[in-house]
């Protein structure tokens, strides 16, 4: 079993250049010489390589949209079947997302981005998987997609996996531990919806209360931001407790058009004045819900 | 009843200078001419002024530690009684935190910081209240403290409160809606503790599950970061669901030394191998728990 190292590799710095995949392997950055995702379903993904991937992949330096593996013909590069969340590397990236593991990102010359090297490979630092969703590609088959954001340098950690069992960490001196960053910045509509439900979760009726002040979270059914471009409007926003918000965003459950929960028991309570767009529900079922 | 405007004031830009409190009032930035906190217990706090406040107040430009009002002698500036979370401005800042409202920050010449003007007042932009806690000041009385972080300019919103009832928003063109930012970056110890409990909440036994991969959050009993300086170690980390994590961080409940919950029913399940430091529990009870 391969021994995967999570986090920074001692002696390797962001921007370091490598001639080929063998050199990346020798440096300990990425062990597989073919696969784009290093890791497995147990320990998670320690490293990915961006190199001539899916045509819609996106990279602005600090945020990367990445496509999973499987289902494509190596010669034509066209999709010939669905990708699966259970495939080794795809599941490994889900583990990294759910467990908050650092993922090394390396860019190859075939990856179209201003951050790619002209030839060979350039190590791009540690990223966090913050999101996953599925799409129907232009060939009509499902593809697994992931969004990764770059970690601030102070948060870099090194976790070393010994025989797939445990992890040990070598922590750089100035590291600031960060586990879950949670910052609430409400918009008018999110506050309006939360007030409508008196800060009670529309799924489980939980209300978190501090000094009589309610706390709930405004969840977007069709996610904000590219490529979903869900809207920040009442037909797309619901009031949830943090637990059901995480579960909705990660695709642990969804809703049918009558607001029954799919994947978990229960039903979304919806007031008459709150008109939810069925298209947002179907988008969530098709693209976000993965506990199918 | 004062009419509070939340968010940016049209025509006012960060860095704008004002000669005195009357000028700030005329501009609509801060209506009270004496109080440091504008707002009330119903709508929240729309604005604060940093000007010669508590000696331990902290300001690095993007992060501000601010002290609530009450209990001090206006002449000697010494604390003569406890501050209260129920005092108008103090409660207003709790509402702003729980509801994710933008708070305008203005610095006066008396505020010791490189970001203060030499005289008069300088408007410093929109901040989000992310934290609150209480301390015993050097005079032996409780003080209410708040941590605010600056909002990225793209997230600025204007919410206008009409007669204390509703809020309307004027949204600048390039605004990117952000409601709850949640990014998980686990450290070795947080992952270790979460694995020990198989990603089940130590308070309610909930386990969030996506494709069989568990999601839980590592919560620090004594918070990380200044001024708490809790440690990222097993004696200070517990495995919680997002709901109980929010509740712990916001001070909705706490634990006694036998791990019984205080403020809510239930008990923290703790394995024999998991040694929690009683001093961390007592710190949480004294400084973080406010639903007393």
């Amino acid at each position: 079993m391969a021994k995967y190292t999570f986090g920074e590799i001692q002696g390797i710095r962001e921007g370091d250049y490598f001639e080929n995949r063998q050199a990346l392997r020798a440096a300990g950055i990425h062990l597989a010489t073919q696969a784009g995702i290093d890791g497995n379903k147990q320990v998670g993904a320690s490293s990915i390589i961006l190199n001539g991937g899916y045509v819609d992949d996106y990279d602005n330096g600090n945020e990367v949209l990445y496509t999973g593996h499987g289902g494509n013909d190596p010669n034509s590069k066209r999709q010939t079947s669905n990708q699966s969340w259970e495939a080794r590397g795809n599941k490994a990236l889900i583990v990294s997302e759910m467990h908050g593991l650092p993922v090394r990102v390396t860019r190859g010359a075939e990856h179209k981005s201003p951050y790619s090297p002209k030839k060979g490979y350039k190590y791009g630092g540690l990223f966090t998987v913050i999101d996953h969703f599925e799409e129907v590609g232009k060939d009509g088959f499902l593809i697994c997609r992931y969004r990764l954001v770059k970690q601030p340098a102070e948060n870099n950690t090194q976790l070393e996996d010994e025989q797939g069992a445990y992890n040990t960490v070598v922590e750089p001196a100035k590291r600031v531990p960060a586990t879950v960053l949670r910052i609430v910045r409400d918009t008018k509509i999110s506050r309006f919806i939360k007030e409508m439900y008196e800060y009670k979760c529309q799924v489980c009726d939980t209300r978190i209360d501090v000094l009589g002040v309610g706390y709930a979270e405004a969840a977007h059914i069709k996610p904000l931001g590219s490529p979903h471009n869900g809207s920040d409007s009442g037909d797309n926003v619901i009031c949830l407790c943090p637990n059901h918000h995480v579960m909705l965003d990660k695709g642990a459950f969804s809703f049918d058009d009558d607001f029954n929960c799919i994947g978990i028991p229960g039903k979304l309570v919806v007031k008459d004045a709150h008109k939810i767009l069925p298209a947002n529900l179907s988008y969530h079922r098709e693209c976000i819900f993965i506990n199918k």
Side-chain angles (χ1 to χ4, degrees), chain A:
Chain A
M1 194 180 208
K3 175 187 158 185
Y4 296 107
T5 302
F6 288 79
E8 294 293 4
I9 305 292
Q10 212 140 23
I12 307 291
R13 288 197 299 187
E14 201 183 309
D16 280 0
Y17 172 79
F18 300 87
E19 199 167 354
N20 51 38
R21 294 286 295 257
Q22 283 70 31
L24 283 170
R25 179 185 163 83
I29 293 179
H30 195 97
L31 304 184
T33 51
Q34 295 267 339
I37 303 170
D38 235 18
N40 62 41
K41 300 182 188 192
Q42 283 70 49
V43 299
S46 58
S47 168
I48 62 171
I49 292 183
L50 315 180
N51 201 32
Y54 198 74
V55 61
D56 287 335
D57 283 358
Y58 167 88
D59 179 3
N60 79 356
N62 287 317
E63 187 179 303
V64 164
L65 203 57
Y66 184 74
T67 301
H69 67 90
N72 67 325
D73 183 277
N75 298 315
S76 72
K77 299 245 176 189
R78 293 186 65 160
Q79 288 294 127
T80 53
S81 63
N82 289 337
Q83 290 190 350
S84 162
W85 292 108
E86 289 295 340
R88 180 197 49 81
N90 298 349
K91 183 74 168 273
L93 280 169
I94 294 286
V95 172
S96 294
E97 177 186 348
M98 300 291 276
H99 295 179
L101 301 177
V103 180
R104 287 185 297 278
V105 168
T106 302
R107 296 177 176 90
E110 302 293 310
H111 172 62
K112 287 182 194 1
S113 137
Y115 309 95
S116 304
K118 292 226 168 65
K119 54 176 193 161
Y121 295 88
K122 194 160 93 175
Y123 174 59
L126 294 188
F127 283 63
T128 302
V129 187
I130 59 163
D131 234 355
H132 62 265
F133 55 94
E134 62 187 44
E135 283 184 305
V136 175
K138 62 183 191 322
D139 295 316
F141 296 103
L142 288 182
I143 54 172
C144 299
R145 306 269 264 165
Y146 304 87
R147 192 191 315 271
L148 294 91
V149 295
K150 196 165 183 193
Q151 295 191 3
E154 297 85 352
N155 287 319
N156 291 351
T157 58
Q158 182 177 354
L159 292 87
E160 189 151 341
D161 184 71
E162 306 283 353
Q163 321 298 343
Y166 260 108
N167 296 307
T168 58
V169 176
V170 180
E171 299 183 342
K174 284 172 58 182
R175 198 178 61 75
V176 177
T179 54
V180 179
L181 303 178
R182 187 187 288 102
I183 298 178
V184 179
R185 281 194 208 110
D186 268 357
T187 58
K188 174 202 173 194
I189 192 66
S190 61
R191 192 176 185 204
F192 179 78
I193 297 293
K194 296 194 320 190
E195 281 178 354
M196 181 187 284
Y197 292 95
E198 297 171 313
Y199 301 90
K200 289 180 192 152
C201 177
Q202 287 179 248
V203 171
C204 69
D205 207 41
T206 293
R207 176 187 150 115
I208 291 176
D209 201 295
V210 174
L211 300 176
V213 182
Y215 175 92
E217 297 184 356
H220 293 81
I221 301 166
K222 184 180 186 180
L224 297 172
S226 175
H228 316 294
N229 299 316
S231 73
D232 188 38
S233 54
D235 58 17
N236 189 41
V237 172
I238 55 179
C239 173
L240 296 180
C241 68
N243 281 2
H244 282 110
H245 192 186
V246 169
M247 291 167 69
L248 187 78
D249 285 357
K250 301 294 185 198
F253 78 115
S254 195
F255 304 106
D256 68 19
D257 284 343
D258 297 321
F259 305 125
N260 298 298
C261 296
I262 310 173
I264 59 170
K267 183 167 183 167
L268 189 76
V269 171
V270 182
K271 299 199 181 224
D272 288 344
H274 186 192
K275 304 293 181 200
I276 293 173
L277 204 63
N280 292 330
L281 296 171
S282 63
Y283 187 93
H284 187 274
R285 286 195 298 274
E286 285 158 25
C287 299
I288 308 300
F289 178 47
I290 67 170
N291 260 3
K292 285 165 187 165

